[in-house]
Amino acid sequence: MNSFIVKGLVLAGVLIVATLVVIKQMHIDLSDPINLITFIGAIAIAGLTFGVGAKYMAQMKTDHASGELAEENWDGIGEYKNELPSGWAYSFLGTMIWAVWYFLWGYPLNAFSQIGQWNQEVKTYNAKFEKIHKNASPEVLKEMGESIFLVQCAPCHGETGDGLSGKAQDFTSRFKKEQVLAVIKSGQHQLMYPLGAMPAGMAQGKDAEAVAEYIANGMKGNAPTAWATCAGCHGQDGKGNGGTAPNLAGYDLTLVQHVLKNGKTGILGHMPAFPGRFTPVQEKALASYIATLKQ
Amino acid sequence: MQSNAALEYDYDIVKLYMWTTVIFGIVGMTIGVLIASQLAFPELNYLFGEYGTFSRLRPLHTNVVIYGFTVSGILLSFYYSAPRVLKVSLGESPLLKKLAYLQFGLYLIAATGMVISELMGITASKEYAQMEWPLDILIVVIWVLWGVIMFGLIGMRREKALYISLWYYIACFLGVAMLYLFNNMEVPTIFFSGGIGAWYHSVSMYAGTNDALVQWWWGHNAVAFVFTVPIIAIIYYFLPKESGQAVYSYKLSLLSFWGLMFVYLWAGGHHLLWSTVPDWMQTMGSVFSVVLILPSWGSAINMLLTMKGEWNQLTENPLIKFMVLASTFYMLSTLEGPIQAVKSVNAIAHFTDWIPGHVHDGVLGWVAFMIFAAAMHSATRVFKREIYSKSLLEAQFWIQTTGVVLYFTSMWIAGITQGMMWRAVDEYGNLMYSFIDTVSVLHPYYTIRAVGGLLYLVGMFMFAFNLYKTATAGRKLEKEPQFRSPMA
Ligand code: HEM
């Protein structure tokens, strides 16, 4: 091969290797089809441009101009009546034929939908994902939960889950006293538990204070007498009576599922719903991760 | 054919555009270096209050380099070379010459208005169409004047057939006229709001996806008809003229021209891949982009083959260096673009720094290089003087080439890394990186880009100095050179 072309290709190679080194440092998975096609595209750009460019440079050194000149000339500029370079002509013809074929048959005109493709891909991926992680161990679930949490929940709840000083729920404890008092005062009907709505004014004055204090402290020690009213629905231990009302003692899977499905607006702010965004395994993972944040 | 008796060409207008090319070049590229540095060192956003922020300066950069530097360069080359290949002087028609002065005057007003209004933050908010309606109207007048002059000169010509460059200038005129009008269809709000709001404010006549489609039909074809077509016109005149070589193949020029004309207009959809634009339109944009490789490479190959056997010119003449490298950079960007338009590749490339990298392969390596070469070649004839310094020109070439290489390699690596980081997921399918992670990884590349840009700007200053000295202090020439521009 001509030394120019070798040099051109070496240049292309250096650029490609440099790119490869950098993306590998970022742990990029090149077997992902989109990444792979892009990388092949990059190789094609660098290789073809530098290779073909070098070929013409070489011709400047070795070849010489020839051909039949056209009769006219403009300000001293002449034109040869040379034929088309055949490589160029066949490639042009080839791309035109390919274009017509691809547009009308190869890619069936009007029979493709990017939304359909997206839905299909997500469905296939989720099915595979559920199968792999069907019997995930608690450690795997916790790790998976953290990985989801950092992307989807941390922007509001904070990387450590502390709620960013009251901007969202603080997962290091269950409730602040004011949160409980607000629910007692106004009732709540957002999470869609089997028991339905939590009525307003289930406790008043001192009783309400005492119960709120008790829940905010993690339900340790003796329950105040007014707790009995609450226990009817939330269970004596406050854990939600087998999933019929929210767990007031900690974060469990049922609670996370209800919150993700319906969202929640309280005195801290608005938590958007994430309907259909997570697979059952992912919900389980989120719940088990959140449960570990409590001190 | 007419006799070859020497015709005295009238270069008054050429001189004017030469100086606007230099001034807008310096201003536009200085802003370019500033915004490149801001991306690496954000503190630089606060140098001049609101007027120095990235958001103000970025559109100012693009508008000044496109409508200031590039358009001036195109008009300088047109007013220099079109009369020569038509064998008429602008001075032969006092009317056309007056119109050309008028066009230049209006152009100065419009360009100044553009700079001031954009610095003040007045913008129609469409990329490459930021100017508000009063300026748009002025642009239309300027463009129509150019058409009148162009076709006036063609009507007066002494050469029977039109030279290739002329085809491309005509295409530039018609293409921009059509696209600019349709994209800038806007409603000045003051007339319909009962006098509420600023008099210069307008809203686009299109909305939503339609607006985006029209916008990128224009946006992409601004690349076609401002950055490609007239620059091909420039190279088809200046490379054969400077080298004294006949154009390699008439047939290849013809096929490349019509290929480019037919294919370019359909490719704009590639700016809206994976968007709300109908799927078949997106595919059409991709398919036409891929076909576009060949007509683009056709012109570049034709120019490189014109230099066949002329290695000694390449080593000895810096102007030839500029033009040969420009053809090669043109090949690089016209292969890179179509590959970025493949849907799968676009899924990575879109919104990343690979795109500005691609843009600047073309504008720094191809557009600006051609404008430098054309201006220098013309200067020897316009001022009837030798180029002031060959070694300065040579140094400019190497410094700017280093600048472009730093720019495109850094943005290439940065863009591909960034796009792949955005997609990267861990073993549970969750995103591995947040946005700020990519920013910190890219910091060194932004710095390299700013350094590359600075080198390019230094070259721009060397060019300005060399051109000024050529005009005022170059050795006088007795006789107009036939081909190669003499230089000291
Ligand atoms: C000193 C040389 C230059 C430097 C340092 C420079 C730098 C930059 C930077 C930093 C951006 C913004 C990229 C972003 O938003 O991420 C940009 C955009 C752009 N520049 Fe330049 N520039 C230079 C010269 C030029 C020239 C000479 C032209 C045209 C003739 C040009 C045309 C453009 C265009 C069209 C864009 C918009 C690209 C896009 O939207 O993706 N630049 N430039």
Side-chain angles (χ1 to χ4, degrees):
Chain A
M1 238 196 295
N2 185 290
S3 78
F4 269 98
I5 303 188
V6 174
K7 280 181 203 153
L9 291 179
V10 167
L11 229 77
V14 170
L15 179 56
I16 290 299
V17 171
T19 314
L20 191 64
V21 168
V22 176
I23 58 179
K24 274 292 157 198
Q25 267 174 2
M26 300 322 297
H27 312 284
I28 301 298
D29 170 19
L30 272 187
S31 64
D32 170 291
I34 296 285
N35 287 349
L36 189 64
I37 294 172
T38 301
F39 202 71
I40 294 172
I43 294 174
I45 298 167
L48 277 172
T49 308
F50 296 163
V52 176
K55 165 183 173 289
Y56 291 114
M57 294 287 170
Q59 271 179 289
M60 287 179 206
K61 203 154 188 179
T62 55
D63 218 344
H64 57 87
S66 61
E68 191 195 332
L69 277 173
E71 302 75 44
E72 287 213 55
N73 92 32
W74 297 263
D75 196 21
I77 300 173
E79 277 178 358
Y80 287 115
K81 292 180 175 170
N82 284 331
E83 273 309 311
L84 303 173
S86 52
W88 179 84
Y90 288 122
S91 313
F92 195 13
L93 192 65
T95 53
M96 283 193 279
I97 293 172
W98 166 82
V100 173
W101 170 81
Y102 187 78
F103 199 58
L104 296 180
W105 294 282
Y107 142 93
L109 183 69
N110 240 357
F112 169 81
S113 144
Q114 68 188 14
I115 297 175
Q117 184 187 26
W118 161 260
N119 288 340
Q120 189 98 43
E121 282 175 8
V122 170
K123 216 170 118 192
T124 322
Y125 178 87
N126 282 350
K128 198 172 118 212
F129 184 85
E130 283 296 283
K131 216 169 114 208
I132 297 175
H133 295 293
K134 199 166 55 196
N135 299 314
S137 67
E139 293 77 49
V140 168
L141 279 179
K142 195 184 147 219
E143 218 177 273
M144 183 193 298
E146 178 171 12
S147 140
I148 304 170
F149 187 88
L150 287 176
V151 177
Q152 306 282 353
C153 322
C156 295
H157 288 280
E159 273 180 51
T160 56
D162 63 359
L164 298 173
S165 325
K167 301 219 169 36
Q169 188 79 9
D170 174 2
F171 293 129
T172 60
S173 69
R174 179 63 182 105
F175 277 120
K176 300 263 172 309
K177 192 173 157 193
E178 310 78 64
Q179 285 180 286
V180 182
L181 283 173
V183 176
I184 296 176
K185 182 158 168 260
S186 320
Q188 186 177 306
H189 194 192
Q190 301 182 31
L191 301 178
M192 304 305 156
Y193 272 85
L195 273 177
M198 148 110 186
M202 295 298 298
Q204 315 283 347
K206 284 238 160 41
D207 284 344
E209 288 278 336
V211 183
E213 191 81 39
Y214 174 63
I215 296 175
N217 282 334
M219 309 187 71
K220 289 188 218 73
N222 288 336
T225 41
W227 171 249
T229 335
C230 321
C233 293
H234 289 281
Q236 189 55 46
D237 56 2
K239 290 198 174 146
N241 225 350
T244 51
N247 182 345
L248 302 182
Y251 298 94
D252 59 18
L253 176 60
T254 322
L255 178 72
V256 170
Q257 279 171 335
H258 279 87
V259 174
L260 289 177
K261 180 147 178 251
N262 304 298
K264 186 194 166 191
T265 305
I267 56 165
L268 298 181
H270 173 65
M271 152 94 195
F274 288 69
R277 286 277 291 277
F278 302 108
T279 68
V281 171
Q282 286 177 313
E283 288 181 347
K284 219 157 94 184
L286 271 172
S288 52
Y289 176 68
I290 292 175
T292 62
L293 294 171
K294 206 171 156 210
Q295 281 152 349
Chain B
M1 235 200 285
Q2 300 286 319
S3 81
N4 271 326
L7 180 64
E8 253 318 296
Y9 291 103
D10 181 330
Y11 294 129
D12 292 345
I13 302 289
V14 180
K15 288 179 196 160
L16 297 177
Y17 283 110
M18 222 172 243
W19 302 126
T20 51
T21 305
V22 170
I23 292 166
F24 287 126
I26 290 178
V27 174
M29 293 183 207
T30 305
I31 302 175
V33 174
L34 178 56
I35 59 176
S37 313
Q38 288 177 339
L39 286 170
F41 306 102
E43 311 82 60
L44 296 174
N45 266 277
Y46 309 112
L47 294 179
F48 316 103
E50 66 177 289
Y51 306 105
T53 55
F54 183 83
S55 50
R56 279 287 162 92
L57 294 181
R58 189 192 192 275
L60 194 62
H61 163 65
T62 55
N63 280 276
V64 171
V65 289
I66 297 173
Y67 301 116
F69 172 70
T70 307
V71 169
S72 286
I74 294 167
L75 290 174
L76 124 74
S77 310
F78 171 82
Y79 281 112
Y80 175 77
S81 65
R84 299 185 67 108
V85 294
L86 293 167
K87 227 186 241 173
V88 294
S89 169
L90 187 61
E92 290 177 62
S93 163
L95 173 68
L96 289 187
K97 192 168 175 192
K98 279 204 193 87
L99 290 181
Y101 272 118
L102 178 63
Q103 187 205 10
F104 179 79
L106 293 179
Y107 173 72
L108 262 195
I109 296 174
T112 315
M114 170 186 88
V115 172
I116 294 175
S117 63
E118 279 165 21
L119 257 187
M120 287 165 61
I122 298 170
T123 163
S125 306
K126 297 223 263 186
E127 197 166 12
Y128 316 127
Q130 281 97 345
M131 282 178 262
E132 274 292 4
W133 66 271
L135 288 173
D136 284 339
I137 292 175
L138 204 50
I139 305 285
V140 173
V141 176
I142 294 166
W143 211 250
V144 170
L145 282 173
W146 189 38
V148 171
I149 295 161
M150 186 186 302
F151 290 105
L153 285 173
I154 292 176
M156 291 159 56
R157 75 186 185 277
R158 297 195 182 83
E159 288 289 3
K160 198 160 121 264
L162 292 186
Y163 182 60
I164 310 167
S165 293
L166 251 309
W167 315 342
Y168 281 102
Y169 284 126
I170 294 172
C172 166
F173 168 73
L174 292 177
V176 171
M178 165 180 75
L179 294 152
Y180 195 88
L181 275 181
F182 277 102
N183 186 46
N184 284 295
M185 288 290 163
E186 56 212 352
V187 185
T189 40
I190 190 126
F191 299 127
F192 298 90
S193 64
I196 302 169
W199 60 274
Y200 47 73
H201 182 264
S202 67
V203 290
S204 172
M205 224 163 75
Y206 320 101
T209 300
N210 290 337
D211 192 33
L213 265 175
V214 179
Q215 162 61 26
W216 285 108
W217 184 54
W218 154 256
H220 183 68
N221 288 298
V223 177
F225 291 97
V226 180
F227 281 157
T228 304
V229 163
I231 312 300
I232 299 178
I234 295 177
I235 198 168
Y236 264 117
Y237 175 83
F238 288 92
L239 183 62
K241 183 68 183 176
E242 176 71 23
S243 65
Q245 295 300 301
V247 171
Y248 171 73
S249 164
Y250 173 72
K251 244 190 197 171
L252 185 53
S253 349
L254 201 63
L255 254 89
S256 305
F257 177 79
W258 286 111
L260 207 68
M261 293 304 119
F262 276 119
V263 180
Y264 235 125
L265 283 166
W266 303 93
H270 67 218
H271 286 266
L272 297 165
L273 297 181
W274 305 115
S275 72
T276 50
V277 168
D279 292 316
W280 68 270
M281 271 189 191
Q282 299 184 26
T283 304
M284 185 174 73
S286 287
V287 168
F288 274 99
S289 303
V290 172
V291 177
L292 197 51
I293 298 172
L294 275 304
S296 307
W297 275 40
S299 307
I301 290 174
N302 209 5
M303 287 297 101
L304 293 176
L305 285 175
T306 296
M307 294 308 294
K308 219 158 63 156
E310 299 299 315
W311 183 255
N312 61 323
Q313 291 209 36
L314 185 63
T315 50
E316 284 162 20
N317 185 348
L319 288 183
I320 297 287
K321 283 200 182 84
F322 272 109
M323 292 192 273
V324 166
L325 200 70
S327 309
T328 321
F329 269 110
Y330 178 52
M331 286 171 68
L332 173 60
S333 31
T334 53
L335 180 62
E336 189 173 37
I339 288 185
Q340 290 176 333
V342 171
K343 274 179 128 185
S344 311
V345 179
N346 196 261
I348 297 266
H350 199 50
F351 296 130
T352 68
D353 288 304
W354 199 6
I355 305 296
H358 159 68
V359 170
H360 291 84
D361 293 346
V363 293
L364 301 180
W366 156 244
V367 177
F369 268 25
M370 279 315 304
I371 290 175
F372 295 143
M376 275 298 179
H377 173 102
S378 317
T380 55
R381 278 77 173 171
V382 168
F383 301 113
K384 302 183 173 49
R385 287 172 188 270
E386 246 182 18
I387 289 175
Y388 176 72
S389 166
K390 179 180 176 184
S391 49
L392 197 59
L393 202 54
E394 189 86 22
Q396 181 200 345
F397 172 80
W398 288 111
I399 289 179
Q400 291 196 317
T401 302
T402 313
V404 187
V405 170
L406 288 181
Y407 197 127
F408 100 81
T409 50
S410 62
M411 288 301 102
W412 164 297
I413 295 179
I416 294 178
T417 308
Q418 181 184 31
M420 292 188 178
M421 280 175 79
W422 285 341
R423 280 179 62 80
V425 288
D426 62 15
E427 57 185 310
Y428 304 117
N430 298 300
L431 293 178
M432 210 141 79
Y433 298 108
S434 63
F435 186 76
I436 195 68
D437 294 328
T438 64
V439 176
S440 42
V441 169
L442 298 187
H443 182 258
Y445 304 101
Y446 286 148
T447 313
I448 295 174
R449 187 245 306 263
V451 171
L454 187 63
L455 290 180
Y456 204 89
L457 179 65
V458 169
M460 177 69 216
F461 277 109
M462 294 164 83
F463 166 77
F465 177 75
N466 212 354
L467 192 65
Y468 173 72
K469 282 302 219 183
T470 301
T472 53
R475 197 172 57 79
K476 285 253 184 224
L477 295 172
E478 257 106 73
K479 206 169 132 285
E480 182 176 289
Q482 166 78 344
F483 296 117
R484 181 173 179 162
S485 310
M487 47 187 90

